Amino acid sequence: MIDSTNNSMAAPFRDAEGSGAVSPETEALAGAAVPTEPFPPLLGEDGGFAPDWYARFDELKGMEKSLSKFKTPEALAKSYAELERLRRYPGVENEEQMARFRRLAGLPESEEEYRLERPESTPESEWNADLAERMARTAYRYGVPPEAMNALQETMAQAYDEAREHMEDARMEMEMQAEQSLQQEWGSNYERNMGRAAAVLRRLASETGVDADALLDNPGLGSNPDAIRLLYQASRLLDEAPLHHAGNAAPSPTEEAMRMESDPSHPLYEAYMNVNHPNHKYANELYDRLTTR
């Protein structure tokens, strides 16, 4: 009897010689299946971290020195919890937490070791060492890193320089406006009237022991056209009622200069007032020497 079962479906495929064969697809899959070696465990038998446990994580590269200090998961968890507590500024009232905060912020061990450096933009003559020490103590108490405080000082020094330059520019602008105003008012008598104003200021200053040069450099006076007008008017009043000295003391240089420009009886009055006078140059130079002493 003939068997009707199709044996070709159940029997393995054979080649022409009748031997077993593997398809190309099977060979390719077999070659691609490379066995992988499992990661070593993070923890050892004692429950602590395995050596170099952090080396398998690319995100932790560069932190090996810090992470090597943690030997157990418990130690790592405590450190993380401490960082979480310090995410908010503890405040100077809690000295224990502030001490930890200072350590984490990289501050010195004590306030005596906290130093502030003189900014490069600040001349040594303007550096206030006492104030810097006081600021250092305050910065240490509040946990400000020295690098941040030095940067803040540099910013403040630059702002101070900018403000000083602005004030100097404003002073020069005031002087220019005052000069223009008085030149327009006095015309050709501007130099003479300015000399009289400066002379009377020096005369009054000599009577009271005040530094006349400091007054002239003061923007509130030297750049104020109204103040200069008052000084000029004062010189005219003093011509009518000059200051008297005890005894027969010789007149001061400022008094002599004022006589040269206001007293027709002075031997150099005509030479000083008349630019075409042959002795005008000498009288003018003498007047300048008298008013700048």
Side-chain angles (χ1 to χ4, degrees), residues 74-89:
E74 181 184 5
L76 182 60
K78 286 183 177 180
S79 177
Y80 177 77
E82 183 71 15
L83 288 175
E84 283 294 311
R85 282 195 294 269
L86 292 177
R87 287 179 64 184
R88 293 184 179 181
Y89 183 71

Side-chain angles (χ1 to χ4, degrees), residues 194-204 254 257-258 261 287 291:
M194 288 294 290
R196 291 188 59 144
V200 74
L201 177 63
R202 294 185 184 280
R203 180 178 180 183
L204 294 172
T254 53
M258 292 186 66
E261 65 175 0
Y287 178 89
T291 55

Side-chain angles (χ1 to χ4, degrees), residues 159-173:
Y160 175 78
D161 289 341
E162 292 171 1
R164 182 165 50 185
E165 291 177 2
H166 178 74
M167 291 178 61
E168 181 63 19
D169 292 342
R171 185 186 68 82
M172 294 179 65
E173 179 67 20

Side-chain angles (χ1 to χ4, degrees), residues 29-293:
L29 290 174
V34 178
T36 57
E37 184 176 334
F39 285 117
L42 286 175
L43 304 178
E45 295 180 357
D46 59 353
F49 282 124
D52 300 334
W53 59 271
Y54 42 78
R56 72 183 63 179
F57 302 104
D58 293 338
E59 298 84 352
L60 301 181
K61 286 184 177 179
M63 304 178 65
E64 293 83 358
K65 184 176 180 180
S66 297
L67 293 172
S68 63
K69 296 184 296 185
F70 301 108
K71 305 302 183 183
T72 64
E74 181 184 5
L76 182 60
K78 286 183 177 180
S79 177
Y80 177 77
E82 183 71 15
L83 288 175
E84 283 294 311
R85 282 195 294 269
L86 292 177
R87 287 179 64 184
R88 293 184 179 181
Y89 183 71
V92 294
E93 294 80 8
N94 193 327
E95 180 56 33
E96 182 179 353
Q97 290 188 16
M98 276 301 301
R100 290 196 296 268
F101 181 86
R102 295 188 191 104
R103 287 196 299 271
L104 291 173
L107 269 66
E109 292 293 331
S110 64
E111 66 176 23
E112 289 76 19
E113 300 177 51
Y114 194 109
R115 294 286 185 272
L116 294 180
E117 300 175 358
R118 175 174 61 86
E120 294 182 359
S121 58
T122 302
E124 189 172 356
S125 59
E126 298 180 8
W127 174 244
N128 190 328
D130 292 336
L131 177 59
E133 184 176 353
R134 290 170 56 190
M135 292 176 64
R137 298 291 178 267
T138 302
Y140 181 85
R141 182 175 179 229
Y142 283 86
V144 182
E147 295 82 359
M149 199 63 193
N150 285 322
L152 179 60
Q153 276 200 130
E154 184 66 39
T155 301
M156 294 175 61
Q158 292 175 0
Y160 175 78
D161 289 341
E162 292 171 1
R164 182 165 50 185
E165 291 177 2
H166 178 74
M167 291 178 61
E168 181 63 19
D169 292 342
R171 185 186 68 82
M172 294 179 65
E173 179 67 20
M174 289 176 58
E175 288 182 355
M176 183 179 68
Q177 292 178 358
E179 182 178 352
Q180 291 175 347
S181 173
L182 293 174
Q183 282 180 341
Q184 184 177 2
E185 179 180 340
W186 289 338
S188 60
N189 293 326
Y190 171 77
E191 293 293 342
R192 179 177 68 86
N193 291 354
M194 288 294 290
R196 291 188 59 144
V200 74
L201 177 63
R202 294 185 184 280
R203 180 178 180 183
L204 294 172
S206 67
E207 294 288 329
T208 57
V210 177
D211 187 351
D213 292 329
L215 290 175
L216 290 172
D217 290 337
N218 189 326
L221 181 62
S223 303
N224 189 328
D226 291 333
I228 297 173
R229 291 187 185 97
L230 287 174
L231 289 172
Y232 169 68
Q233 292 300 327
S235 72
R236 298 180 62 183
L237 293 175
L238 288 174
D239 287 344
E240 299 174 3
L243 296 177
H244 296 285
H245 294 272
N248 296 322
S252 67
T254 53
E255 291 175 330
E256 186 69 18
M258 292 186 66
R259 280 196 59 217
M260 284 179 58
E261 65 175 0
S262 61
D263 186 359
S265 65
H266 193 282
L268 291 177
Y269 173 81
E270 187 66 27
Y272 177 74
M273 298 299 296
N274 186 359
V275 295
N276 296 319
H277 194 282
N279 291 330
H280 175 74
K281 181 178 179 181
Y282 166 75
N284 197 52
E285 291 176 350
L286 177 60
Y287 178 89
D288 290 340
R289 289 196 300 270
L290 291 171
T291 55
T292 54
R293 289 186 179 182

